Amino acid sequence: MSDYHGYATKSFTTPFFTLEVTTEVGPRFVRLIPAGTTLNLFAELPTFHWTTEAGDLYPLGGHRLWVSPERPAITYLPDMKGCKLAEKESGFVLSREDDFQDTHYSRTIEVTFDAHSPRMTVKHTLLNRAQAPLLAGPWGITMFRLGSRVFLPFSDQPADPFTLLGNRNLALWPYTRLDDPRLKVTDKGVSIVGLAQQDACKVGIYSPLGWAAIEFPEGYTLVKRVAALPAENYPDFNTNWQCYVRDMFIELETLGKLGQVQPGESVSITEEWELLKGSLQENGLV
């Protein structure tokens, strides 16, 4: 066992990287370190927090599972105790139960490592433990260190045989400015650079391509792959990929199917992570 700024953790090492996760708080992934380095690709934010009616919420940095659509009384439930770690062959499971007023759900993140490639599978599951239906979708959020660049790719395939219908979308949040120097939109996709500016910027897209990526100035690229459902399944103007950046971190976010989850039922989203050497361009992604 080890620790992350005083929080108990456990590390899992493959020939390609080390993943460090919390064992009592969260669930969180807090360090992703390429083999042969001491470089943590995640943002480290042990003291950053905001106050909610249920208590103080500490995102900590790294990777977490949230509930979409974003609603403070449901999404922002503090999770600084009660996380459980169970090891399994080739991976582990992190789980916890969230309870506040009439909201009762469970979050589970199951990871399976590939011993022969720089990949791992990350399955996120939300279980409704309440007595009433819960409007919910799984939302995987990863907070990365500044200096990196997120790329959300557009599809170049037409939506209909006559090219009469729109085939790309761009969702904007109230605080997002189209002239933000961190944001660049091209025919190939949307790029967001992790520069430290006080103003936040967030965008989302729907992409049927099933992947997005983030590149780091130290010469690594992390690709996330998620199977794409039809656009109407997703929240926030039908977006399945989102990016948020502010002065301390940049996030690459995946969205799962949004709907009414009945009592005792669950919804899941599975991401495949691949850590590559080289830039987006060097890996033929842009």
Side-chain angles (χ1 to χ4, degrees):
M1 304 295 288
S2 53
D3 80 280
Y4 172 81
H5 301 278
Y7 299 105
T9 62
K10 182 174 179 59
S11 296
F12 296 86
T13 299
T14 78
F16 308 96
F17 55 78
T18 293
L19 181 70
E20 188 173 345
V21 306
T22 54
T23 59
E24 298 173 357
V25 305
R28 298 286 192 281
F29 305 167
V30 289
R31 292 188 175 105
L32 178 62
I33 302 174
T37 78
T38 59
L39 173 68
N40 184 13
L41 299 179
F42 295 151
E44 295 199 20
L45 304 166
T47 62
F48 172 61
H49 68 280
W50 56 92
T51 300
T52 78
E53 59 179 313
D56 290 341
L57 173 62
Y58 289 77
L60 296 181
H63 184 72
R64 67 188 187 273
L65 168 60
W66 260 12
V67 178
S68 75
E70 192 165 0
R71 296 154 290 176
I74 295 176
T75 307
Y76 297 179
L77 297 189
D79 53 9
M80 300 313 290
K81 60 181 180 180
C83 180
K84 297 178 181 179
L85 169 67
E87 297 187 48
K88 64 167 194 171
E89 184 177 0
S90 302
F92 62 88
V93 180
L94 291 170
S95 61
R96 69 166 288 108
E97 295 183 351
D98 295 273
D99 298 285
F100 180 66
Q101 296 179 350
D102 294 328
T103 300
H104 306 279
Y105 58 81
S106 297
R107 287 181 285 161
T108 302
I109 305 178
E110 181 177 359
V111 172
T112 303
F113 297 106
D114 186 334
H116 305 292
S117 73
R119 296 187 179 192
M120 65 180 186
T121 301
V122 184
K123 182 179 180 181
H124 311 77
T125 302
L126 298 172
L127 170 67
N128 182 11
R129 298 169 37 249
Q131 298 301 310
L134 175 67
L135 177 64
W139 183 10
I141 304 174
T142 315
M143 307 171 82
F144 293 100
R145 58 202 303 271
L146 292 177
S148 49
R149 178 171 71 106
V150 165
F151 180 68
L152 309 178
F154 286 139
S155 172
D156 61 359
Q157 296 301 305
D160 69 295
F162 307 103
T163 65
L164 299 175
L165 303 179
N167 69 334
R168 290 167 287 180
N169 70 334
L170 179 65
L172 306 174
W173 272 250
Y175 46 81
T176 300
R177 295 183 295 106
L178 285 173
D179 62 351
D180 191 309
R182 296 168 294 189
L183 175 63
K184 183 179 181 180
V185 181
T186 70
D187 290 340
K188 292 186 175 181
V190 182
S191 291
I192 307 95
V193 180
L195 298 178
Q197 293 183 200
Q198 186 173 2
D199 295 338
C201 177
K202 184 170 185 177
V203 298
I205 70 166
Y206 172 73
S207 174
L209 300 179
W211 70 273
I214 181 168
E215 68 174 8
F216 304 91
E218 294 83 5
Y220 296 92
T221 294
L222 179 68
V223 182
K224 286 191 180 189
R225 296 181 177 89
V226 181
L229 300 172
E232 59 268 20
N233 288 281
Y234 298 104
D236 299 326
F237 295 103
N238 308 122
T239 60
N240 58 346
W241 294 95
Q242 296 175 3
C243 177
Y244 175 79
V245 61
R246 54 169 296 178
D247 57 334
M248 294 179 285
F249 58 87
I250 183 169
E251 290 179 342
L252 177 56
E253 309 173 6
T254 61
L255 285 300
K257 182 178 181 178
L258 177 65
Q260 292 289 344
V261 184
Q262 299 302 314
E265 293 187 348
S266 63
V267 287
S268 299
I269 183 173
T270 299
E271 303 176 1
E272 183 178 270
W273 295 23
E274 184 177 20
L275 182 60
L276 303 172
K277 292 183 178 179
S279 66
L280 286 160
Q281 185 172 15
E282 289 168 340
N283 283 286
L285 297 171
V286 294

